[in-house]
Amino acid sequence: MSFRQIYSFAWSLTGFLWFLFTITTMPSSTSAQESDNIDVPPLPTGPRLRTIGTNIPRIVSRNGAASLTLAEPLAIGIATHTNFHQEPAYQTVAAREYDVITPENDMKMGPLVPNQRGSYDFTAADEHVRFAEAHGMQVHGHTLVWHQQLPDWLQPSLSPAELRSVLQEHIRTVVSHYGDRVAVWDVVNEAIADSPVLFFGSPMRSTIWSRAIPDYVDLAFFTAREANPSAILLLNDYSVEEVNSKSNRMYNLVAGMVRRGVPIDGVGFQGHLRANGLNYCSMANNMQRFADLGLDIYITELDVRLSLGRNGDISPFQSQRQADIYRNVMRVCLEQPACKSVQTWGMTDLHSWIPSFAPGFGSALPFDENLAAKPAYYAMQSAMLEQRTPDDVCAGQDDSMNFLESLFGGIASFFF
Ligand code: G3I
């Protein structure tokens, strides 16, 4: 075993043992406070993420090949929740730190056209776009076609022809409403099956769209391109960050789209992570194969959930582990010129989806409930600032090591 492998294994083992020790000595965290009654948020020290990201050296190394430094932007963003525009302190931090925002829910089909076909209400979604434009930020539109948060009037009883018409009408209406005010679109979200039925099942998730319109993904991208010739069009999904069976299915779908001339510009890796992080070498290789198709990669929904203590708090070890994960994801993206942005799914733990989705877990984002920057924020900042010698994240990695690291990390992640 190489030193790196021994070090890596020791790190995982130590982390797991340290967790066992720290579970009874957790510090009390500050109590949650509605961000709208925080007058002046505790602003982070050091340069703003959006400033560093504007023109950043991209240190690229591949399997020991000569390094290449490219100075090009890396967008840093957040998902913005409904009514965020009513929270002055939240807005202060968001505008200071980020250059792209994604409406977390307000641009989805259900919220946009809730009551009857053709009757759109853009009020809430427009607030996100207005805020972005007021602060020189980009808008990442989310999402034109998904199987969740659909309006009640959209029923599977509609005929395939009607569903095809609904899908195209929705994309045309929303993309045309915003035009170039929305620069990037998650055209189709979560189209890939998590685990196909046995080995010969369809690679595609079974949804109201896929069951009625076998070519709905191609149709959605052609329709979006027709509605906006210049927007960046992405296919977005989760658990596809590393080379694995699901990302293989995504790769095969996307490679076929490229072969067919479907107007796709990139893929979104959502990045909803746990405390065992990722195999960063596998993530780098995964990014590279999509880049080799001529596509860009966006980290679209990054968060790192932690197992909360009895009082809803986390240990210093957990906080540091989370920061390391944020740092490593940033570094993998920085070393891949085709990786264009890192966006977290929310900014502050106060508005994260995690506690309602995964009870007992939380503290997933770079800012705490009081809008104070956490070690995760500073890890993102330092990853962007560090002038490192090129560090090939795959150096010394082999499958046995990956297995052990993910084994210990996987077990540990059930607890922290
Ligand atoms: O707006 C209604 C409100 O009127 C009602 O009183 C309340 C109680 O039922 O529900 C509110 O809607 C909720 C909505 O969030 C807005 O808060 C929905 O119930 C709830 O299901 C919805 O959850 C969102 C989830 O997508 C829906 O699947 C989460 O906030 C959002 O963070 C999450 O985001 C998704 C991405 O779009 C795609 N990738 C995965 C990610 C996490 O699931």
Side-chain angles (χ1 to χ4, degrees), residues 175 179-185 224-233 265:
V175 175
D180 291 337
R181 300 172 73 197
V182 172
V184 186
W185 281 106
R225 174 59 71 232
E226 173 194 17
N228 185 330
S230 57
I232 295 168
L233 306 180
D265 299 301

Side-chain angles (χ1 to χ4, degrees), residues 104-105 108 142 146 148-149 189-190 270 301 345 353:
E104 182 179 8
N105 288 298
K108 294 171 180 174
H142 175 83
W146 194 22
Q148 291 191 33
Q149 285 181 277
N189 190 47
E190 302 175 9
Q270 291 184 11
E301 308 183 12
W345 201 240
W353 70 292

Side-chain angles (χ1 to χ4, degrees), residues 24-235:
T24 54
T25 58
M26 287 184 177
S28 63
S29 70
T30 49
S31 61
Q33 182 181 12
E34 281 304 318
S35 70
D36 51 2
N37 65 15
I38 301 173
D39 296 333
V40 179
L43 296 176
T45 56
R48 307 170 184 195
L49 298 181
R50 69 182 296 182
T51 307
I52 315 169
T54 305
N55 204 2
I56 190 166
R58 309 297 293 277
I59 301 170
V60 179
S61 65
R62 278 285 162 277
N63 304 321
S67 68
L68 177 65
T69 301
L70 312 166
E72 62 177 58
L74 174 67
I76 303 291
I78 51 172
T80 40
H81 58 281
T82 302
N83 295 331
F84 81 100
H85 59 281
Q86 295 168 1
E87 300 179 25
Y90 179 99
Q91 292 179 75
T92 301
V93 177
R96 179 180 194 273
E97 294 295 330
Y98 297 102
D99 42 24
V100 59
I101 61 172
T102 305
E104 182 179 8
N105 288 298
D106 292 334
M107 259 185 205
K108 294 171 180 174
M109 193 175 188
L112 281 181
V113 56
N115 303 316
Q116 69 179 47
R117 183 175 173 180
S119 173
Y120 281 81
D121 179 0
F122 288 102
T123 309
D126 287 351
E127 288 293 352
H128 299 263
V129 178
R130 206 183 334 275
F131 176 81
E133 290 174 334
H135 298 283
M137 304 164 99
Q138 266 196 351
V139 178
H140 184 125
H142 175 83
T143 176
L144 296 172
V145 182
W146 194 22
H147 59 281
Q148 291 191 33
Q149 285 181 277
L150 295 173
D152 292 339
W153 57 264
L154 183 64
Q155 290 302 318
S157 53
L158 291 173
S159 71
E162 283 172 317
L163 282 167
R164 195 176 187 93
S165 164
V166 165
L167 180 141
Q168 289 195 286
E169 174 188 288
H170 179 67
I171 294 171
R172 287 175 182 138
T173 303
V174 178
V175 175
S176 305
H177 175 81
Y178 287 110
D180 291 337
R181 300 172 73 197
V182 172
V184 186
W185 281 106
D186 290 337
V187 176
V188 176
N189 190 47
E190 302 175 9
I192 307 294
D194 283 330
S195 45
V197 175
L198 298 178
F199 295 102
F200 44 83
S202 166
M204 304 296 287
R205 181 188 296 271
S206 175
T207 70
I208 186 172
W209 305 113
S210 65
R211 290 190 294 271
I213 316 166
D215 68 332
Y216 87 96
V217 176
D218 286 13
L219 178 66
F221 276 83
F222 278 116
T223 306
R225 174 59 71 232
E226 173 194 17
N228 185 330
S230 57
I232 295 168
L233 306 180
L234 307 181
L235 180 74

Side-chain angles (χ1 to χ4, degrees), residues 250-266:
M250 184 184 206
Y251 178 81
N252 294 334
L253 171 67
V254 165
M257 292 170 74
V258 170
R259 273 196 308 275
R260 294 189 296 276
V262 178
I264 178 172
D265 299 301

